[in-house]
Amino acid sequence: MDLDRRGWAAVSVAASASTGRRVALWRVRRRMTQQVFADRIGRSKSWVEKVERGVRRLDRFSLIQQVAEVLRVDPAELLGTDRLPHPDDGVAADGVQAVRAALACYDVFAAGSLGPAPDTVEVSRRVEHAWSTYRHGDHPRLLRMVPGLLDAARRLHAGRPEHGVVPLVQAYRVAALVLVKVGEADLAWLAADRALATAGNDRLLAASAVVPLGQALRGLGQGRLAMTATITAAHRIAASTGGAASASADTSSEQRSVYGTLLLQAGLAAANCGDHASAGELLKQTAEVARQVGDGQDYRQASFGPAAVDCAQVTAAVALDNPADAVDRHTAIVRRDGWLRLPAEHRAAYLIDAARAHLDTGDLAAAGRWLVEADRVAPAEIRCRPSARTVVAEIARSGPQAAGVARLATALGLTR
């Protein structure tokens, strides 16, 4: 029997109180006072108190995501969505454990016991294959590849340092990026830090390692730190090239791509902090660099170009609680050819952000449609990412869904 308005109100209040209790529980588990928690999410202590008492609702997905990031939990934990075990969970968990074990190995203690240096060409081929796997969004497979890749790259670096620096940095970078995807930002930070340490005095190589570092910090809810790290790295490139954003002949496309990608990450970090002015200015600068670079540059620079910047504008608008602007931008983006040239991983991740925008505007049908499309483009982006599963869960809780969304929710083991 359908609930009347009073009944729905009671359900809404109960759900709000339940979510508030979960926020309080996780805040205490993270050993944060209400004031510390409030400071980290840019709210007042009284706002936190009202949320935890159920007086104030977390009524936007972007807000739930922000709170979850600070608490370092899957947003579904806050929503209280019932979830059945899913086969992908075990695959991803096993992969993460193997990567964790690989990162626990320190080369300085293993010197002399790493074994003979492998063939340089073979290690480079494996690095290329890892990046290709990342671009296709096959995260479980990449997690399985990373431990062996790190072992080979470390042995090459130990035996032939002059040939091993770049492969090892790239191995750590791709490891950090996939760890961010599966919600392991702490481990991603460690992998990115290893990449930076390995890069040494090579400014461009070190700057490229800051890209996943910025993503890891954002995943930990440390937007200000992410801004500082990425902007500092971008300025170092600019200083070493006489202005990396310029179109001078002595500035390589790779330098511009790394520079632009760092600015893009800084802009997204600013958006995560609610800093409208900085986000707008940084993404404006990024767009100028992207026009010089064009689409289709080296895959290792995270698909930087005009299409990537367009997509980032949507992501930033969602983070800044401006879903209407995000929806308008998305409508324009999908009419262009450029975004279709982005890797499958990038397109699927972007479509999840587009779904969030539609969800926040109340258009559940469009949100579901874009989620189903993301699942078609790169299934692991939906199946392995906690934030993506939460969008599906929120749509499933909100009312009747289209058949595609219902099938996706069932595939993910979500129940209402």
Side-chain angles (χ1 to χ4, degrees):
M1 185 174 72
D2 291 339
L3 292 172
D4 59 17
R5 181 173 299 180
R6 182 177 299 176
W8 276 118
V11 171
S12 177
V13 170
S16 178
S18 182
T19 299
R21 285 195 295 270
R22 294 186 188 95
V23 170
L25 174 64
W26 281 104
R27 175 182 60 77
V28 172
R29 286 183 180 178
R30 299 308 185 201
R31 299 182 180 180
M32 283 186 273
T33 64
Q34 287 185 332
Q35 186 61 62
V36 169
F37 179 57
D39 291 342
R40 291 189 180 182
I41 60 176
R43 302 279 177 163
S44 66
K45 182 181 176 183
S46 64
W47 183 90
V48 172
E49 291 174 343
K50 290 177 181 178
V51 167
E52 293 186 351
R53 295 203 316 268
V55 175
R56 180 183 287 275
R57 296 182 60 196
L58 298 178
D59 55 359
R60 285 184 179 275
F61 176 77
S62 57
L63 186 56
I64 294 170
Q65 178 75 4
Q66 180 187 12
V67 170
E69 286 178 351
V70 172
L71 295 175
R72 290 183 284 129
V73 299
D74 185 330
E77 293 283 352
L78 302 183
L79 292 171
T81 304
D82 296 328
R83 188 167 183 273
L84 300 174
H86 187 269
D88 286 344
D89 294 345
V91 172
D94 290 345
V96 168
Q97 274 302 103
V99 174
R100 190 189 307 275
L103 290 173
C105 298
Y106 288 83
D107 297 347
V108 64
F109 298 127
S113 63
L114 289 173
D119 180 69
T120 303
V121 174
E122 173 61 17
V123 174
S124 297
R125 185 196 64 78
R126 292 177 66 174
V127 169
E128 296 266 345
H129 183 49
W131 279 105
S132 177
T133 303
Y134 177 78
R135 280 167 55 86
H136 284 89
D138 193 345
H139 306 323
R141 184 181 182 189
L142 181 54
L143 286 170
R144 292 193 299 269
M145 294 167 57
V146 164
L149 177 64
L150 287 176
D151 176 69
R154 282 166 167 162
R155 286 190 287 117
L156 176 62
H157 184 250
R160 301 188 184 94
E162 69 280 9
H163 298 295
V165 171
V166 173
L168 185 53
V169 169
Q170 296 296 354
Y172 278 129
R173 281 190 62 208
V174 76
L177 289 172
V178 73
L179 286 167
V180 170
K181 290 286 189 181
V182 297
E184 295 288 340
D186 282 316
L187 276 183
W189 188 353
L190 174 59
D193 183 71
R194 295 277 181 84
L196 270 167
T198 304
N201 294 323
D202 187 324
R203 288 193 177 188
L204 188 59
L205 193 60
S208 71
V210 176
V211 174
L213 175 63
Q215 292 191 18
L217 290 170
R218 285 170 49 213
L220 291 169
Q222 299 293 329
R224 291 294 174 189
L225 290 178
M227 280 182 65
T228 299
T230 49
I231 290 174
T232 299
H235 286 169
R236 286 194 69 191
I237 293 181
S240 66
T241 60
S246 70
S248 59
D250 59 347
T251 303
S252 71
S253 177
E254 182 182 10
Q255 288 171 328
R256 292 196 193 99
S257 295
V258 175
Y259 178 76
T261 303
L262 288 165
L263 291 180
L264 186 149
Q265 289 298 321
L268 292 176
N272 289 152
C273 296
D275 189 340
H276 290 73
S278 295
E281 179 59 31
L282 286 163
L283 290 176
K284 180 180 178 181
Q285 294 177 36
T286 305
E288 176 58 32
V289 180
R291 279 192 289 270
Q292 299 169 14
V293 173
D295 286 315
Q297 84 308 318
D298 190 320
Y299 59 84
R300 287 166 295 187
Q301 304 315 325
S303 305
F304 180 74
V309 178
D310 289 341
C311 293
Q313 295 278 7
V314 171
T315 301
V318 173
L320 291 167
D321 285 330
N322 194 354
D325 179 53
V327 168
D328 288 343
R329 289 179 180 275
H330 170 69
T331 301
I333 287 171
V334 294
R335 292 173 179 168
R336 302 170 189 152
D337 294 333
W339 90 284
L340 290 173
R341 291 194 291 271
L342 290 170
E345 163 273 325
H346 199 137
R347 280 184 285 132
Y350 163 74
L351 289 175
I352 295 168
D353 291 328
R356 291 175 185 169
H358 286 90
L359 180 59
D360 282 349
T361 61
D363 190 345
L364 299 179
R369 185 170 65 252
W370 290 115
L371 276 180
V372 171
E373 175 63 11
D375 187 58
R376 184 193 67 80
V377 172
E381 280 291 316
I382 296 286
R383 320 260 169 151
C384 295
R385 293 185 65 184
S387 59
R389 293 199 306 267
T390 305
V391 181
V392 179
E394 182 69 0
I395 294 173
R397 283 165 49 109
S398 299
Q401 314 96 36
V405 176
R407 285 194 296 270
L408 182 56
T410 300
L412 292 175
L414 298 169
T415 60
R416 292 183 61 191

